[in-house]
Amino acid sequence: PPPATSPRRLRSHLRRRAMGRTLILLAVFQASSGLWLSRGTELLATRRLRGGAVDEAEAPGAEAPAASAGSPGPNSEEIQAAMDNFSAALDTFLAKFKELDDRVRSTSKAGLFGKAAGPETLADRPDRVAFREAYEHLATVRSLLGEELSSAERLPFVASSMQLLRQAALLLGDEADGISTTGVPAATLSRLQALRSACRQKPKGTVAQALDELKEALIPPIEAHKQLLAGIGYKRPEPVQAALTRDEITEKLNAVPTFCLLNKDGFAVTVRGEDGSPTCSWYTDPSEARAVLAAASRDNPTVPGLHLGVAPLGIAFSTCGGWPEDPPSAFMGTLKVQGNRAVVKGMEPFLASQLKEQGLPAATWHLPVFCCDQLQSATAMPMFLSRSDLVEAWVLSGREEAEVPETLTVMDLHLLVHQMQTDKFAWNTVDLLCSRRAVELVDEAKEQAKAVIGERTGNGQDDD
């Protein structure tokens, strides 16, 4: 059967996704700046299920763990140069803003009788005050961005800089530009709109013309940001309405980790299922995976070395009979991908009916996948394995939690995989987003495995 995966390379793979999550979520809502993580990350080691046992084996051609988003990589110098170039372009833009602020506070067009107002009078005019406040707002955001630039992590800087550019565009543009407001906090958006309105109260006035100059001055930072995105490994997929291959679908599913209970020798630990048969589960809910480990350790004090193993969802899906065309497993028991128990139990009849209505084989397990129209764009369709993860993404994008739609689109994972093999949709825009809690548990599983290996070998070294 297809291999499962040890934590080391998967942890790096998922950390890149989690660290870039803010950027991904911002990208989801604006096709013109949709940014996606390239999925070329390899997985280092594999675990193969054989009759319930898990053996370790090295994946072909995988010799070293992938660099995390914050660690030096082969293009580290180029990426740093792109970050510095963007910062310089942004500083030039803000210097232009400051120059224009000084100008509009001291210069005005002649009035009806040919007389211009003095600097003292100009400085108190609403449009001048708004222009100064707009500059101070962007300058403050820029100072916060500088703190992230000095950090070892690049993706938060990229995400925040994208937000800054969006806020600047909202401030300088007008409604006719159709600039997306999604992802900007409600209070910030309200303030930007008020400042823009005040600055443009005289469409042909000095301040309005200064805004038009700044629109031109914003182009270099935008272009520099595009180069930064290209260098750091993000790209926007062009929507292609075509079926995906099995490998492509597996790769998409592999963005999400699952967790399996193992003993000290790396063998999968089975439990008695509801029907009394031995059951081996791959858990998608981090809290339940932790609870299973805690309960197993408590109830089996004489069994040493119980810990969590990690496998990407695509591998777990295949191992648990997700592909109908695969031969049955030789494992004498039940293999299943287990979502949150309470949620799955409540939705199981509905999910089963989905498969029946589509003429698909009945499944021995079900896993709901959540999405909603409001989190989609022409180039991005995020999906989640729990409603709570969707809500977290909703809030992270700048929306209010109270505004989450009461009705979400939910489908069984088997149905989603089936649909992705048709040409009814641009499936290349679909991405399953991994929760931060899941990435944190991957890190914990890594440490657990190291401790178990240390106890087994007596040297504490990771022989992963």
Side-chain angles (χ1 to χ4, degrees), residues 35 46 75 100 103 212 358 393:
L35 314 169
T46 64
N75 298 315
L100 290 174
R103 184 197 305 174
D212 291 336
Q358 294 294 322

Side-chain angles (χ1 to χ4, degrees), residues 182-197:
T182 309
V184 180
T188 301
L189 175 60
S190 178
R191 185 185 184 198
L192 291 173
Q193 291 173 332
L195 292 175
R196 180 180 65 188
S197 178

Side-chain angles (χ1 to χ4, degrees), residues 357-425:
E357 291 171 2
Q358 294 294 322
L360 299 177
T364 57
W365 54 268
H366 297 278
L367 185 68
V369 180
F370 298 78
C371 62
C372 69
D373 293 341
Q374 292 85 343
L375 295 186
Q376 300 177 22
S377 75
T379 60
M381 184 176 181
M383 292 188 169
F384 309 85
L385 294 188
S386 72
R387 185 182 186 278
S388 61
D389 287 347
L390 186 150
V391 171
E392 180 186 357
W394 181 280
V395 173
L396 185 58
S397 73
R399 302 170 184 258
E400 297 295 330
E401 183 173 348
E403 298 174 355
V404 175
E406 292 184 7
T407 302
L408 302 174
T409 299
V410 184
M411 70 176 72
D412 185 88
L413 180 61
H414 297 86
L415 177 58
L416 174 62
V417 168
H418 171 75
Q419 293 288 356
M420 292 172 87
Q421 298 174 76
T422 72
D423 60 0
K424 296 179 180 179
F425 185 76

